[in-house]
Amino acid sequence: MAKPEDTTVLVVDDEEDVREYFAMALEDAGFNVSRAENGNEALDRIKEKTPDFISLDLVMPEKSGIKLLYELRQHKDWRRIPFVVVTAHARDDAGRGDLEEILSSKTFSGPNMYLEKPVEADQYVAFICDQLGVEYEGEPVADEADRLRG
């Protein structure tokens, strides 16, 4: 089973407080974390070091989450990086269309689920651990099914 300290997660979110909240939760669980505030910066981080997993906001300035995913899918070394969309826009006009495209498309490989903000730290870390096959040592998440959509 993989260990958190051997795993790097890229957290991409344009809101600094959200990005830091997720990053700190992952770091507290032992993960290596890279941060980016938009798709362009995320691409730079990926070029520096390919992450094992991407936590991706959809609605961001400069380059949206879906535009980043399309670029990643064009690169042979990046197309299979697993990801989860973490968004507050799953039900509004700003993000619903992009999210539906991601969930229904065969273009993207990923868990075909998303987390809807606000997300509790334990829930977030538990989900990523599950996707990566990493043992989770935090609090059990009783209502995980209520938070995961897919």
Side-chain angles (χ1 to χ4, degrees):
M1 182 168 274
K3 295 180 181 180
E5 59 269 16
D6 298 328
T7 307
T8 300
V9 178
L10 173 58
V11 177
V12 187
D13 199 296
D14 60 319
E15 295 181 49
E16 183 178 7
D17 58 337
V18 172
R19 187 173 59 248
E20 289 305 312
Y21 173 76
F22 290 149
M24 288 188 337
L26 289 165
E27 288 171 341
D28 287 349
F31 286 93
N32 297 300
V33 178
S34 182
R35 298 160 174 82
E37 66 179 276
N38 60 53
N40 288 330
E41 192 174 301
L43 199 53
D44 290 341
R45 297 295 166 271
I46 293 165
K47 288 175 184 175
E48 291 168 7
K49 183 179 191 267
T50 303
D52 299 293
F53 194 87
I54 300 173
S55 170
L56 183 62
D57 189 13
L58 271 186
V59 180
M60 298 180 287
E62 295 185 38
K63 184 178 289 179
S64 69
I66 196 166
K67 287 181 182 176
L68 174 64
L69 288 174
Y70 276 119
E71 283 190 41
L72 295 180
R73 294 315 171 242
Q74 301 304 313
H75 192 284
K76 68 180 177 93
D77 294 331
W78 301 334
R79 68 175 53 128
R80 300 223 184 265
I81 301 171
F83 68 91
V84 65
V85 171
V86 185
T87 184
H89 298 284
R91 302 169 198 266
D92 64 27
D93 291 339
R96 182 177 46 236
D98 285 351
L99 184 61
E100 288 172 0
E101 182 174 344
I102 290 168
L103 294 176
S104 67
S105 175
K106 297 192 186 322
T107 304
F108 303 108
S109 63
N112 290 327
M113 292 186 178
Y114 66 95
L115 298 174
E116 193 167 342
K117 294 176 186 175
V119 179
E120 293 181 23
D122 278 342
Q123 209 164 31
Y124 176 77
V125 174
F127 178 83
I128 292 174
C129 286
D130 181 63
Q131 295 302 306
L132 290 169
V134 171
E135 187 173 343
Y136 180 60
E137 297 179 7
E139 295 296 317
V141 181
D143 63 343
E144 186 173 16
D146 294 336
R147 292 296 223 175
L148 298 179
R149 310 279 188 242

